[in-house]
Amino acid sequence: MNAAAAQVGVSRPHESAALHVSGEAIYTDDIAEATGTLHAALGLSPVAHGKLLGIDLDLLRAQPGVVAVLTAADIPGANNCGPLLHDDPILAADVLSYLGQPVFAVIASSRDLARRAAALAKHAIRFEALPAVLTAKAAHERGQYVLPPMHLNRGEAQVALATAPHRLSGEWSVGGQEQFYLEGQISYALPQEQQAMLVHCSTQHPSEMQLLVAHALGYAAHQVQVQCRRMGGGFGGKESQSALFACVAAVAATKLRRPVKLRLDRDDDFMITGRRHGFDYRWDVGFDEDGMLLGAEVDLISNCGHSADLSAPVMARALCHFDNAYFLPHVALHGFCARTNTQSNTAFRGFGGPQGALAVEMILDSIARRLGLDPLLVRQRNFYADEGGRNITPYGQQVEDNILAPLSDRLVETSDYHARRAAIASFNASSPVLKKGLALTPLKFGISFNVVHLNQAGALVHVYTDGSVLVNHGGTEMGQGLNTKVAQVVAHELGIPLSSVRCSATDTQKVANTSATAASTGSDLNGKAAQDAARKIKQRLSVLAAQIFGCAQDEVLFEAAQVSAGKQSLGFTELVHKAYMQRVQLWSDGFYTTPGLHWDRAKLQGKPFYYYAFGAAVAEVLVDTLTGESRVTRADVLHDVGQSLNPALDIGQVEGAFVQGMGWLTTEELKWHPQSGALLTHAPSTYKIPTANDSPPDFRVSLFDQPNAADSIHRSKAVGEPPLLLPFSVLLAIKDAIASTGPAGCDPLLRAPATAEAVLSALQAVGAVGTVGTA
């Protein structure tokens, strides 16, 4: 196709950008409410762990505007909504598992009245308090898990450790992270005829919501329809955890035969829903004088909360990403999914990958400081390489299309890394209070769901007689631009302008049995499915065009809204009209499954990923040693998205992921009361996400220009999750600045998030003790 007529590989505005800024974009709460709509609010457990003795329903029913109060006994089907083990009750029945757990639902004439009544939970709920376990370490010591431990082994780790010239052990931890989507959890359920239910739900997984709502109602799946036009952000928090709210709204709507809306406010959203898993680590590693890793034994302990949710695949991905960009000849990795009396943690952008990869980055940084080497040099020496058999992961997959070395070499050059490293050393030597730090970190991130059957997608493409095109696919739009990219793919395939293609709301009655929009697979899966549907229509049209032109079918070209063969041509719309008159089918379904995947869950071996995305970032920070305040002054990013479908959208995703990951590692600190189990950081006043002012003032983002070697959609690569690993460079640059205040070889113990308090603690330890710890 003529490059000027191409619809992919070019920057196009987000399909809803103008609607977002004008306020015309319709979110679930903007849907016009049907006559008789009622509103629901949830009464929450006032204790972290206890036995539920009873609920004063008379007190609640007597409140103004209250129409009904629902408990677990009112759920006609099954009272659970866990995505895998179904161990997460919709409403607590016998046991209270965390402070903030939904115990009852108030249905009232207005949202305000429902919330006022639900707020009486602390008076209405009778309970017997039980001992609570609030930290992953405490649960691990008790052997208290939501799932059996997982183990990933290669080689002889203990032998390698015993014979290594150098050995390093340590403990470390990283906190969780709130998704903080702008649009909170919300569902709107409307009863339909013949015992059917329509649910508008802000969710990344409409098919799962359909099945779980049916499960709660005792319905068949075909009685439940779930729609989602767009979300105001998701980041994983609306993959599984939107289910509870969809189920409550649907149960209430079924019981009362009236529409019911359930929209959480920010406080309740924090108190009820889970977030990124915090991890604790214990490691023992062996290495040589050059910093080459020879062996490692590592415990990874995740705080899963009170139920399993998606903790199993999160831990599996963490174990499979511990290696990050590095060849590890002998490893023994042990994953423990700790059960605590807190919110059940869930998917978050990266899905365990960041927690796994961050550990090896901290280890390599400590090794470099122990040896007195530049951490970048140690990283480069440990890179995966094609020679010497150093290209097989601990889980048995070959690292193909390895561009780690050329990508990082280019970033070293374009960021002027070595000159800046020398300049920073000079600055720190003459600056007693302000200290600078610099770090470069790479990434390798596997793309595919690590549950093989989820790697499938479907789509519908309709061509109307006026030449316009409607696309429906199983992915969900949460601001990332998925609909824009899918529309570009279809427009490119049919040779028509993007303005002729429109994507409609995700709907379980149009494309069935879809996977979640997660694992960075949205464009890969749904783009391929939509391309398949468009190609079927194009093939039918090209048969007709060949008959009209009197040529072979393979001579027919679709380009710039024209269909041509040699010097003959006619408009796309004209051909479509002729096809309709000839009774040619002008719509088609499409389907795609990712090829070549296989995975042994028990052994954690196989090929779980279709391909890898790569990237690297250099961060420069400034630290005030008197206050602990830190700032990122410059960030240089080079990220691999293959042959980009839409460079503008991809750069935006990289920038957003960098800032979001930076927030996780620097300012977003979750705190629970050590006795009561109450989440103390449950509002913007106490939980600090990055603002525009926190973005690097000098922020240089470039895309690595090399097509994907795998047959992905137009040779592009996923961009949602991988760049969240880029701001590891920020945390390690802060550590680098702190290290400059101590003696040579000092290895500061900096916890994450590196808040001002954490930085001060690390600075004080370095100043008081010198070389501190080994973590």
Side-chain angles (χ1 to χ4, degrees), residues 733-767:
I734 294 172
K735 184 182 176 186
D736 186 56
I738 295 169
S740 72
T741 68
C746 120
D747 185 20
L749 184 58
L750 175 65
R751 67 179 186 267
T755 60
E757 293 86 353
V759 171
L760 272 181
S761 177
L763 284 164
Q764 290 165 357
V766 168

Side-chain angles (χ1 to χ4, degrees), residues 401-416:
D401 187 28
N402 182 1
I403 57 173
L404 281 164
L407 187 149
S408 59
D409 286 347
R410 185 187 299 181
L411 183 62
V412 167
E413 180 182 355
T414 59
S415 67
D416 206 14

Side-chain angles (χ1 to χ4, degrees), residues 362-381:
M362 297 302 293
I363 289 169
L364 287 174
D365 191 81
S366 290
I367 288 172
R369 296 187 187 283
R370 172 71 65 89
L371 296 173
L373 299 173
D374 186 334
L376 171 59
L377 179 61
V378 172
R379 289 187 169 87
Q380 291 172 323
R381 286 174 174 172

Side-chain angles (χ1 to χ4, degrees), residues 559-595:
E559 186 174 278
Q562 294 290 311
V563 182
S564 62
K567 296 183 179 180
Q568 301 180 80
S569 70
L570 70 163
F572 178 80
T573 301
E574 184 181 354
L575 178 61
V576 165
H577 184 72
K578 289 180 181 294
Y580 173 72
M581 299 303 293
Q582 293 292 324
R583 297 185 295 179
V584 174
Q585 183 179 334
L586 291 172
W587 63 271
S588 184
D589 64 308
F591 187 68
Y592 175 74
T593 61
T594 309

Side-chain angles (χ1 to χ4, degrees), residues 510-529:
K510 293 182 179 177
V511 178
N513 308 319
T514 60
S515 297
T517 304
S520 303
T521 61
S523 297
D524 281 8
L525 295 178
N526 296 288
K528 278 283 195 180

